[in-house]
């Protein structure tokens, strides 16, 4: 048994069945349930992971990770087609769609792909010579069922972005954002710090020098996951107005962008 199978067993438990047999039965059952579902459509995206994801840790921010090659170009096209078939953005005034509870089948598949990508990344770190045993996503979050039960899909036209914010506390720890179409720079700044343009200024005098915002370059098909400090102690924003989308000294050409955000609602008694 290889290291990857051991890691999957550690997260999801052990079974007496062979992995191939178990996976085949699970795939058959999932397909049967999906076909029987009223939300099923005949052009579900193919989100099978056929490449090894490469993760980058944003070292300035604990709990912030980026996977640039999360989706292949073919997967991106398939996912975009599934989103478009939902009919959410048929009118120009509609630029956001939300779902709570049972997510569309393609979003459920996307969640599974996130788990697989995280497990691959965790294994790569375990196999490396690094002394720092850091997890991309806390294992407790990976085990929850469902992993996500809230979906937001945003359609941004050139120049449109989102202001600095921390996601509402009604959502649990652990947030995933998938980017499609136009690339952009997302900026992060600490909670409690006042921002002016691309500089973060400490509100209280004597707290040290001003520090730059942390830029993260999101390409088409990339995945960002936030947990812990990144989720609760850092604001994130995207300013796509002229002059603000700069990467490596070059201003990015802004086109239409779609983001898919997956979160888990808190359970209140």
């Amino acid at each position: 048994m290889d290291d990857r199978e051991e890691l999957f067993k550690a997260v999801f438990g052990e079974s007496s069945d062979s992995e191939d047999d178990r996976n085949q039965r699970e795939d058959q059952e999932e397909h049967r349930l999906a076909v029987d579902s009223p939300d099923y459509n005949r052009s579900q995206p193919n989100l099978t992971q056929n490449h090894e994801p490469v993760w980058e840790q944003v070292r300035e921010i604990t709990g912030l990770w980026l996977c640039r090659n999360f989706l292949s170009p073919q997967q991106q096209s398939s996912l975009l087609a599934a989103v478009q078939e939902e009919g959410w953005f048929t009118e120009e005034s509609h630029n956001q769609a939300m779902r709570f509870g049972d997510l569309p089948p393609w979003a459920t598949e996307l969640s599974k792909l996130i788990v697989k990508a995280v497990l691959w990344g965790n294994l790569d770190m375990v196999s490396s010579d690094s002394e720092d045993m850091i997890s991309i996503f806390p294992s407790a979050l990976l085990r929850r069922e469902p992993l996500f039960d809230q979906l937001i899909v945003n359609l941004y036209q050139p120049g449109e972005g989102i202001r600095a914010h921390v996601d509402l506390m009604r959502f649990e720890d652990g947030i995933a954002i998938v980017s499609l179409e136009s690339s952009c720079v997302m900026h992060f700044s600490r909670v409690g710090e006042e921002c002016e343009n691309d500089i973060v200024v400490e509100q209280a005098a004597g707290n040290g020098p001003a520090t730059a915002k942390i830029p993260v370059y999101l390409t088409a098909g990339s995945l960002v996951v936030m947990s812990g400090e990144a989720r609760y102690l850092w604001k994130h924003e995207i300013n796509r107005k002229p002059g603000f989308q700069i990467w490596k000294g070059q201003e990015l050409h802004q086109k239409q962008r779609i983001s898919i955000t997956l979160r888990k609602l808190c359970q209140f008694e």
Side-chain angles (χ1 to χ4, degrees), residues 62-236:
T62 302
L64 181 61
W65 291 81
L66 169 67
C67 182
R68 295 190 191 278
N69 70 330
F70 175 62
L71 295 178
S72 69
Q74 294 77 14
Q75 289 171 320
Q76 294 172 48
S77 297
S78 184
L79 184 55
L80 277 170
V83 171
Q84 291 167 354
E85 287 192 5
E86 295 287 350
W88 290 327
F89 307 126
T90 54
E91 297 183 21
E92 187 174 344
S93 59
H94 295 172
N95 58 10
Q96 184 182 80
M98 294 187 184
R99 288 283 296 267
F100 294 84
D102 293 334
L103 303 183
W106 57 264
T108 300
E109 290 303 311
L110 191 61
S111 298
K112 293 178 182 178
L113 193 62
I114 290 172
V115 172
K116 292 180 181 180
V118 169
L119 291 175
W120 274 89
N122 285 345
L123 179 61
D124 286 342
M125 285 185 290
V126 170
S127 303
S128 69
D129 296 330
S130 174
E131 297 180 357
D132 298 327
M133 298 300 293
I134 304 174
S135 177
I136 295 171
F137 218 53
S139 59
L141 299 185
L142 286 179
R143 295 192 191 100
R144 67 189 181 190
E145 289 291 341
L147 177 59
F148 304 109
D149 61 8
Q150 199 270 339
L151 166 73
I152 296 180
V153 181
N154 284 304
L155 172 65
Y156 299 103
Q157 298 299 339
E160 296 177 343
I162 187 167
R163 66 178 183 175
H165 70 285
V166 173
D167 283 39
L168 296 173
M169 295 300 110
R170 70 181 63 173
F171 300 107
E172 292 187 12
D173 193 10
I175 296 170
I177 303 173
V178 176
S179 293
L180 298 172
E181 299 190 292
S182 182
S183 298
C184 72
V185 178
M186 176 179 284
H187 285 96
F188 288 79
S189 56
R190 281 192 176 275
V191 171
E193 293 177 339
E194 184 179 353
C195 303
E196 296 178 1
N197 295 329
D198 284 335
I199 298 296
V200 176
V201 181
E202 299 288 354
Q203 289 182 328
N207 285 349
T211 56
K213 288 183 181 179
I214 306 300
V216 177
Y217 182 41
L218 306 182
T219 54
S222 65
L223 165 69
V224 166
V225 293
M226 296 181 286
S227 63
E229 290 187 17
R231 187 263 183 268
Y232 293 109
L233 301 182
W234 288 80
K235 297 175 289 186
H236 55 280

